[in-house]
Amino acid sequence: MSTAANEPARSRGKAPAGERIADWADGRLGIYSLAKANMRKIFPDHWSFMLGEVCMYSFIIIILTGVYLTLFFHPSMNEVVYHGSYVPLQGQMMSEAFNSTLHISFDVRGGLLVRQIHHWAALIFLAGMFVHMMRVFFTGAFRKPREINWLFGFLLFVLGMFTGFTGYSLPDDLLSGTGVRFTEGAILSMPIVGTYISYFLFGGQFPGHDFVARFYSIHILLLPGIMLGLMVAHLILVFYHKHTQFAGPGKSNTNVVGMPLLPVYMAKAGGFFFLVFGVIAAIAAVAQINPIWAMGPYRPDQVSTGAQPDWYMGFAEGLIRFMPGWEINFWGHTLVLGVFIPLVLFGVVLGAMAVYPFIESWVTGDKSEHHILDRPRNAPTRTGLGVAWVTMYMITLVGGGNDLWATHFHLSINAVTWFVRIFFFVGPVIAFIATKRICLGLQRRDRDKVLHGRETGIIKRLPHGEFIEVHEPLSQEQLHTLTTHTQYAPAEIGPLVDENGVERKVKASEKLRVKLSSAYYGEDNQIPKPTSDEYKEITSGHGHH
Amino acid sequence: MKKLSARRRHPLAAVVVLLLALAATGGLYAAFAPASKAQADETSQSLTIKEGRKLYEVGCASCHGTGGQGSSDGPSLVGVGSAAVDFQVGTGRMPAATSQGAQAPRKKPVYTQTQIDQLAAYVASLGAGPVVPTKQQYGPAGADVAKGGELFRTNCAQCHNFTGKGGALTEGKYAPTLEGVEPKHIYEAMQTGPQNMPSFPDTTMSSQNKKDIIAYLHAVDSSETTNPGGLELGGLGPVSEGLFAWIFGLGALIAVAVWVAARTAKAKKS
């Protein structure tokens, strides 16, 4: 159909197909203004800023491979007799879930590889989130305005743990069944509500006939749905806040220095997705994970040694393993502290990470926005607390694998357990003190570098015989980078009398805040950074060194 | 006489007397022992027992007592049977290097199979006990692998792991790996319950069941086992998998991230 209005356009020749498609889409979606606003979005360049990408890509890989697995998995606990191709299980009774997982592993084309990609990607996803979270923590990227995004990320980590848990429980093998039993025990240890929750979750007595189907819904629909939403929100906030950057010349709290999203970051990120997929696929092709055929079908009367959860639940295992088996009996009721305390600690250890940004901002009283990252050494108390937390986490992981430590290092499992019991408390303290000392040492070194320059390693002999090492002054850029961070002054208790001269009551929280603030920023808890006066005095002066 | 009395307080006098006494005892024993031997029947069995006894007196008696009655350093061997000897000595656990330590580890056997048979015959002669199984009992013929797997998971896996990789027990004791252990020795271990292991006599676990378990172990934990998924990572489950994911998975990805971040479109400054 041709109209008069179309004639002039045609006379100039048709626009390229791509432009016409874009025009068509713009008329309906308004993509031009969106693209104009976002295509030149700037991202700074640093390898640690790509850790989040590792998580996002492995999450996508998990979803893609997971969809393939759902095509063949039967989430049912009906008992069947195995007639598949794995000989050592032929004729055994097992649930349909286990049977179909064996079917995927041995009889579906590519099934085992996809299963292994799915599982390895899950381990890497969680490990990536852990490292990403640590990167954000140690660089102070969680500070205003990013506290909510920190919480989103934290929720993603916790939901990831439970998605992983419900996922590895699905095959209904002996290892995962033991893990589900463990979970049932943890639920039962809750006072009053425990038994009700357990009956509700398992549809009656453990194991019942329901949990695989229920975990399946949770694993493939509920949790990943929430996670996908959170991940999108997480990314939207990254876009909205813009990315943080390390301090450096030309970088300030009001700009972002880096490369535009299009074309540079699209190409980089797109390529990085395939690299992540490639690495995970290569690992899945080379290394076996969760060989359920070797573990056999779950039966509540069977158990194996070395029954540990995947690594991200390992610290829960550790908490249980090193907790003494205390219990209190009263009026015919039992409070199993040996399980209930670890359950509480599970929440406390994780929760500490979630609330940290709010604690720090309360202590500093800093309400300004931060887009420049801290170097960990410049926040010694925060860095020390972070390392203490990681130490505690790692110690519980050691506790979770205490039997393997014992067998592989020829130790007594009792000794390993006692080591973990003691170092669960002592380790973080030592780690905190050592880290803080190291940070302060590094701050002193930075100060020396700024004031006296870099040690060149060149030894010079002066006419009168003295040997000195030649120090090379730092460039202006390096000086800026080393001295640009803000140093807080410790908070002080305000005037003790109000404007009317009436004595004011100092609240306990205020006292606590002042105490904490001096622990963060007080004397000996940070090294004053060199001032420009000090710098001038030293550099202008004669008699260098 | 004067000479002798003059030297009776010599520092070495006691040693000389001791040597003389020992020689006299040994001589008397040598003089009387053949007499008792002459009364024993000269069948090959008794010859084997006799040879075993000799070996026993040299290698075992210091801990287990001269008549196998046991001592503070080692348990009594009366009634343990030839199967126990064949297992303990055949896997190198006995003679133990020391009676200290959590448990005797498996090591290279000190005795040849013939000597082990002689020792076993001697110990079996001390009192009736489990007998060394025949190849027909532990061989693969007629074994049900799947049944063996079920039995293994029910009775053995709680200490020896899903596929017999071993596991920790209390105070430094451990259930050893079953990889590379001879079927005969696995059978004997079940029969006799060495060290911390409970015993599974034929009354609780039939000979056929033991055969099934051995066949299962051969299928999942031997040099002929194939791992369809690739590297087994020790067969230890999620701990080694987690370590692998962190070190090789995340490690490789961080290396890749560093590589990608280092390649940038940044304009080079002069």
Side-chain angles (χ1 to χ4, degrees), chain A residues 168-194:
Chain A
Y168 71 67
S169 299
L170 289 181
D172 200 24
D173 58 290
L174 187 50
L175 176 64
S176 73
T178 308
V180 178
R181 181 61 138 178
F182 174 110
T183 312
E184 190 226 0
I187 294 171
L188 284 178
S189 77
M190 285 185 228
I192 303 166
V193 293

Coordinates of all heavy atoms in Angstrom, one line a residue, chain A residues 168-194:
Chain A
Y168 N 20.1 -29.9 46.2 CA 20.8 -31.2 46.4 C 20.1 -32.2 47.2 O 20.5 -33.4 47.3 CB 22.3 -31.0 46.9 CG 22.5 -30.5 48.3 CD1 22.2 -31.4 49.4 CD2 23.1 -29.3 48.6 CE1 22.4 -31.0 50.7 CE2 23.3 -28.9 49.9 CZ 23.0 -29.7 51.0 OH 23.2 -29.3 52.3
S169 N 18.9 -31.8 47.8 CA 18.1 -32.8 48.5 C 17.2 -33.5 47.5 O 16.6 -34.6 47.8 CB 17.3 -32.1 49.5 OG 18.1 -31.5 50.5
L170 N 17.0 -33.0 46.3 CA 16.0 -33.6 45.4 C 16.3 -35.0 44.9 O 15.3 -35.8 44.9 CB 15.8 -32.7 44.2 CG 15.1 -31.3 44.4 CD1 15.0 -30.6 43.1 CD2 13.7 -31.6 45.0
P171 N 17.5 -35.4 44.6 CA 17.7 -36.7 44.1 C 17.4 -37.8 45.1 O 17.3 -39.0 44.7 CB 19.3 -36.8 43.8 CG 19.7 -35.4 43.7 CD 18.8 -34.6 44.6
D172 N 17.2 -37.5 46.4 CA 16.7 -38.4 47.4 C 17.8 -39.6 47.5 O 17.4 -40.7 47.7 CB 15.4 -39.0 47.0 CG 14.7 -39.6 48.2 OD1 15.0 -39.2 49.3 OD2 13.8 -40.5 48.0
D173 N 19.0 -39.2 47.5 CA 20.1 -40.2 47.7 C 20.5 -40.2 49.2 O 20.0 -39.4 50.0 CB 21.3 -39.8 46.8 CG 21.8 -38.4 47.2 OD1 21.2 -37.4 46.9 OD2 22.9 -38.3 47.8
L174 N 21.3 -41.2 49.5 CA 21.6 -41.4 50.9 C 22.3 -40.2 51.5 O 22.0 -39.9 52.7 CB 22.5 -42.6 51.0 CG 22.8 -43.1 52.5 CD1 21.5 -43.3 53.3 CD2 23.5 -44.4 52.4
L175 N 23.2 -39.5 50.8 CA 23.9 -38.3 51.4 C 22.9 -37.2 51.6 O 22.8 -36.6 52.7 CB 25.0 -37.9 50.4 CG 25.7 -36.6 50.8 CD1 26.5 -36.8 52.1 CD2 26.7 -36.2 49.7
S176 N 22.1 -36.9 50.6 CA 21.2 -35.7 50.8 C 20.1 -36.0 51.8 O 19.6 -35.2 52.5 CB 20.6 -35.3 49.4 OG 19.6 -36.2 49.0
G177 N 19.6 -37.3 51.8 CA 18.6 -37.7 52.7 C 19.1 -37.5 54.2 O 18.4 -37.0 55.0
T178 N 20.4 -37.8 54.4 CA 21.0 -37.6 55.7 C 21.0 -36.1 56.0 O 20.7 -35.7 57.1 CB 22.4 -38.1 55.7 OG1 22.4 -39.4 55.2 CG2 23.0 -38.1 57.1
G179 N 21.2 -35.2 55.0 CA 21.2 -33.8 55.2 C 19.8 -33.3 55.5 O 19.6 -32.4 56.4
V180 N 18.8 -33.9 54.9 CA 17.4 -33.5 55.2 C 17.0 -34.0 56.6 O 16.4 -33.2 57.3 CB 16.4 -34.2 54.2 CG1 15.0 -33.8 54.5 CG2 16.7 -33.7 52.8
R181 N 17.5 -35.1 57.0 CA 17.3 -35.6 58.4 C 17.9 -34.6 59.4 O 17.3 -34.3 60.4 CB 17.9 -37.0 58.5 CG 17.8 -37.6 59.9 CD 16.3 -37.8 60.2 NE 16.1 -39.1 60.9 CZ 14.9 -39.5 61.3 NH1 13.8 -38.7 61.2 NH2 14.7 -40.6 61.9
F182 N 19.1 -34.1 59.0 CA 19.8 -33.1 59.8 C 18.9 -31.9 60.0 O 18.7 -31.4 61.1 CB 21.1 -32.8 59.1 CG 21.9 -31.7 59.7 CD1 23.2 -32.0 60.3 CD2 21.6 -30.3 59.6 CE1 23.9 -30.9 60.8 CE2 22.3 -29.3 60.1 CZ 23.5 -29.6 60.7
T183 N 18.4 -31.5 58.9 CA 17.5 -30.3 58.9 C 16.3 -30.5 59.8 O 15.9 -29.6 60.5 CB 17.1 -29.9 57.5 OG1 18.2 -29.9 56.7 CG2 16.4 -28.6 57.4
E184 N 15.7 -31.7 59.6 CA 14.6 -32.1 60.5 C 14.9 -32.0 61.9 O 14.2 -31.4 62.7 CB 14.1 -33.5 60.1 CG 12.7 -33.8 60.8 CD 12.7 -35.2 61.4 OE1 13.7 -35.9 61.4 OE2 11.6 -35.5 62.0
G185 N 16.1 -32.5 62.3 CA 16.6 -32.4 63.6 C 16.7 -31.0 64.1 O 16.3 -30.6 65.2
A186 N 17.2 -30.1 63.2 CA 17.4 -28.7 63.6 C 16.0 -28.1 63.8 O 15.8 -27.3 64.8 CB 18.1 -27.9 62.5
I187 N 15.1 -28.4 63.0 CA 13.7 -27.8 63.1 C 13.1 -28.3 64.4 O 12.5 -27.6 65.2 CB 12.8 -28.2 61.9 CG1 13.3 -27.5 60.6 CG2 11.4 -27.9 62.2 CD1 12.7 -28.0 59.4
L188 N 13.3 -29.7 64.7 CA 12.7 -30.2 65.9 C 13.2 -29.6 67.2 O 12.6 -29.6 68.2 CB 12.9 -31.8 65.9 CG 12.0 -32.6 65.0 CD1 12.4 -34.1 65.1 CD2 10.6 -32.4 65.3
S189 N 14.5 -29.1 67.1 CA 15.1 -28.6 68.3 C 14.5 -27.2 68.7 O 14.7 -26.8 69.8 CB 16.6 -28.4 68.1 OG 16.9 -27.3 67.3
M190 N 13.7 -26.6 67.8 CA 13.1 -25.4 68.2 C 12.0 -25.6 69.3 O 11.2 -26.5 69.1 CB 12.3 -24.7 67.0 CG 13.3 -24.1 65.9 SD 12.2 -23.4 64.7 CE 13.0 -24.0 63.2
P191 N 12.1 -24.8 70.3 CA 11.1 -25.1 71.4 C 9.7 -24.8 70.9 O 9.5 -23.9 70.1 CB 11.5 -24.1 72.5 CG 12.9 -23.5 72.1 CD 13.0 -23.7 70.6
I192 N 8.8 -25.6 71.4 CA 7.3 -25.5 71.1 C 6.9 -25.7 69.7 O 6.2 -26.6 69.3 CB 6.8 -24.1 71.6 CG1 7.1 -24.0 73.1 CG2 5.3 -24.0 71.4 CD1 6.9 -22.6 73.7
V193 N 7.5 -24.8 68.7 CA 7.0 -24.9 67.4 C 7.6 -25.9 66.5 O 7.2 -26.3 65.5 CB 7.1 -23.5 66.7 CG1 6.3 -22.5 67.3 CG2 8.6 -23.1 66.7
G194 N 8.8 -26.5 67.0 CA 9.6 -27.4 66.2 C 8.8 -28.6 65.6 O 8.8 -28.8 64.4

